[in-house]
Amino acid sequence: MGMKAKITLGAVVGVVVIGAVSANGGSGDGKASGGDKGSSASADREAGAGQDAGAEAAAEKKAAFEGDGDFQVGSDIKPGTYRTTGNTDDMCYWERAKDASGEMDSLLANDNVSGTAYVTVKATDKLFSSSGCNDWEAVGPRAEGGSPATTMAGGGGMFRVGADIAPGTYRSAGNTDDMCYWERAKDAEHSLDSIIANDNVTGTAVVTISASDAYFKTSGCQDWKKTA
């Protein structure tokens, strides 16, 4: 499906949607007596199981597929949320499709990407296509802890709220010709129902990102800085 043009599906630059769219016991001195060997062995087994689970989780997180190709959902790739980073100049194109016909009617969502993209591939999707993108990695269904940033690149793509960026009010100044597009989203499915609010901006943009938002998308804007 070699088309590499932004098609007006889902969150589209140039369309403004206002408001909601129908849209975690041993002894105190640390010494083990002979009678504690069974407990110690049990603890060792539990620790080993924990390490195995951790290794599996790490492997799942690193699970990736290439940035070029057509992938059948369920056989080539599993349903889930995936991320690609470090893309430049809108040269990364992806699409979710309900079949492999290659026709316009098969498209469920698509985008041209600079920076980072998150996409949730659903079990009901049949095909995921990617062209010119850096490799995709699987990410968990929820934002992980850490120290989310309070600034972000205006052309950085998608940011996960609570993981990549902190919720709050952000400001971007000096935008021209309505080329700055921002979007608050409740998921990474990229449908119209995913959009909480969005805008195309000339001049200064101010937007409050809620802790309940899942993602914030920015394209063609000056850098954002948290002000409150």
Side-chain angles (χ1 to χ4, degrees):
M1 306 176 78
M3 190 186 305
K4 290 188 184 179
K6 182 171 290 186
I7 299 167
T8 54
L9 297 175
V12 183
V13 174
V15 176
V16 177
V17 179
I18 300 175
V21 184
S22 58
N24 195 60
S27 60
D29 58 6
K31 297 179 181 178
S33 66
D36 289 330
K37 288 182 179 178
S39 297
S40 177
S42 177
D44 288 344
R45 286 195 297 271
E46 290 176 2
Q51 289 173 353
D52 290 343
E56 289 177 3
E60 178 68 17
K61 185 172 183 179
K62 292 179 181 178
F65 54 93
E66 295 180 356
D68 289 292
D70 293 337
F71 306 91
Q72 291 183 291
V73 179
S75 55
D76 298 327
I77 63 172
K78 296 178 181 179
T81 299
Y82 295 88
R83 172 178 62 195
T84 177
T85 62
N87 300 288
T88 58
D89 300 327
D90 282 342
M91 293 304 293
C92 166
Y93 172 80
W94 64 261
E95 70 181 41
R96 294 171 47 223
K98 62 184 180 183
D99 58 46
S101 69
E103 298 176 2
M104 287 289 295
D105 286 347
S106 71
L107 285 174
L108 296 171
N110 66 347
D111 203 0
N112 288 97
V113 179
S114 283
T116 298
Y118 288 87
V119 181
T120 296
V121 178
K122 301 179 69 175
T124 52
D125 294 356
K126 299 301 181 182
L127 197 71
F128 182 80
S129 299
S130 176
S131 177
C133 303
N134 289 326
D135 289 353
W136 296 83
E137 67 172 344
V139 296
R142 296 182 180 179
E144 299 177 357
S147 300
T150 56
T151 60
M152 56 183 151
M158 287 184 75
F159 297 89
R160 204 167 193 174
V161 179
D164 301 330
I165 58 168
T169 298
Y170 288 78
R171 183 176 187 269
S172 170
N175 300 292
T176 60
D177 300 328
D178 276 349
M179 294 302 293
C180 168
Y181 173 79
W182 64 260
E183 175 186 309
R184 296 169 50 218
K186 65 182 182 182
D187 57 45
E189 294 179 16
H190 298 270
S191 69
L192 283 175
D193 286 343
S194 300
I195 301 172
I196 299 170
N198 66 352
D199 202 2
N200 287 98
V201 180
T202 294
T204 299
V206 178
V207 58
T208 297
I209 301 169
S210 172
S212 61
D213 294 353
Y215 298 93
F216 182 75
K217 183 177 181 180
T218 173
S219 174
C221 302
Q222 298 298 313
D223 293 351
W224 296 85
K225 183 177 182 180
K226 189 172 181 288
T227 60

